[in-house]
Amino acid sequence: TQLLEQSPQFLSIQEGENLTVYCNSSSVFSSLQWYRQEPGEGPVLLVTVVTGGEVKKLKRLTFQFGDARKDSSLHITAAQPGDTGLYLCAGNARAGSYQLTFGKGTKLSVIP
Amino acid sequence: DTEVTQTPKHLVMGMTNKKSLKCEQHMGHRAMYWYKQKAKKPPELMFVYSYEKLSINESVPSRFSPECPNSSLLNLHLHALQPEDSALYLCASRVDPPGDSSYNEQFFGPGTRLTVL
């Protein structure tokens, strides 16, 4: 069974601070996605990383896939209250698979 | 149209009721999913349909009955539920069927908040 360990589980920071969320596994994933979910809503896909060592940027968010495709990180620069939400990483074990392995999520609160 | 819609947004039902959840997408996606999500937990896969055929049933109790009438619609029929079935029920879809070079990027609907009394 593939597992994704996500850390930290909870994070409360002041507006303007930087933060990093980690997603780690002992297994290799063919691709990995990051989602953000707001209370009472469905997860929204932020990014998919595919290649080991890949870095993708989405405005103030920077996503990195580990060289061995076993881990990923999400870095937010100058956090805003609108960044508040549950961040989920989800790994795809192999191309063509139906199922995603979800991490347990990081609950981020950005205080104005 | 680039979204997945779900109705109703909220549903309260008794343990003897029969109700249905509906999901619709018009993105031409051929795989559709039902997930269950409890508070502060990640989504748990329930069912997967590919080309309107049930491909995965994650040992879900028979009081949950999925149906895929066509490639755009997915229903979840509910009967004799228990209070512990209260959760956010999410529908998702994705572009490519299994077997292709898919990154399994799934697009989620807003969910139905179900409360079983």
Side-chain angles (χ1 to χ4, degrees):
Chain A
T1 302
Q2 294 187 303
L3 293 174
L4 274 170
E5 298 290 336
Q6 209 172 322
S7 63
Q9 191 175 354
F10 298 98
L11 192 53
S12 182
I13 62 171
Q14 294 289 328
E15 182 176 358
E17 292 184 350
N18 302 332
L19 66 113
T20 303
V21 177
Y22 300 93
C23 184
N24 297 303
S25 177
S26 58
S27 304
V28 175
F29 289 93
S30 69
S31 62
L32 192 140
Q33 296 151 28
W34 285 92
Y35 293 85
R36 179 170 67 216
Q37 184 176 22
E38 298 188 21
E41 298 293 330
V44 174
L45 179 64
L46 297 174
V47 78
T48 299
V49 286
V50 179
T51 306
E54 183 176 8
V55 176
K56 284 191 173 179
K57 296 196 176 200
L58 184 67
K59 297 183 181 177
R60 294 175 292 101
L61 279 60
T62 302
F63 304 86
Q64 185 161 9
F65 203 13
D67 291 341
R69 290 184 289 128
K70 293 182 179 181
D71 55 86
S72 181
S73 64
L74 158 61
H75 182 78
I76 301 180
T77 303
Q80 304 292 313
D83 296 326
T84 293
L86 178 69
Y87 288 82
L88 293 160
C89 63
N92 189 35
R94 55 179 175 79
S97 171
Y98 283 115
Q99 291 161 293
L100 289 174
T101 299
F102 281 91
K104 291 188 176 180
T106 294
K107 180 73 172 70
L108 172 65
S109 297
V110 181
I111 303 163
Chain B
D1 190 347
T2 58
E3 64 175 7
V4 177
T5 59
Q6 288 187 244
T7 56
K9 181 73 172 171
H10 301 277
L11 179 62
V12 179
M13 61 185 290
M15 289 188 283
T16 58
N17 292 158
K18 286 185 182 181
K19 297 286 185 183
S20 296
L21 309 185
K22 297 184 183 301
C23 173
E24 191 166 2
Q25 58 88 15
H26 294 288
M27 295 180 279
H29 293 177
R30 301 313 298 266
M32 296 183 75
Y33 298 70
W34 279 116
Y35 287 90
K36 173 183 178 180
Q37 187 178 27
K38 295 286 233 181
K40 300 179 184 177
K41 301 286 187 184
E44 296 175 33
L45 182 64
M46 300 175 72
F47 303 104
V48 181
Y49 273 83
S50 177
Y51 284 87
E52 295 118 69
K53 287 187 169 48
L54 184 63
S55 295
I56 292 180
N57 176 342
E58 288 289 303
S59 301
V60 179
S62 60
R63 58 186 184 268
F64 295 92
S65 176
E67 178 196 18
C68 190
N70 60 56
S71 60
S72 300
L73 293 173
L74 188 65
N75 298 321
L76 186 62
H77 302 297
L78 314 173
H79 175 55
L81 294 193
Q82 304 297 310
E84 59 264 29
D85 296 322
S86 298
L88 182 67
Y89 286 84
L90 294 163
C91 175
S93 69
R94 75 171 216 193
V95 175
D96 300 313
D100 289 348
S101 297
S102 167
Y103 300 139
N104 206 358
E105 294 175 319
Q106 297 181 21
F107 296 86
F108 287 83
T112 292
R113 172 69 61 190
L114 174 68
T115 302
V116 182
L117 301 176

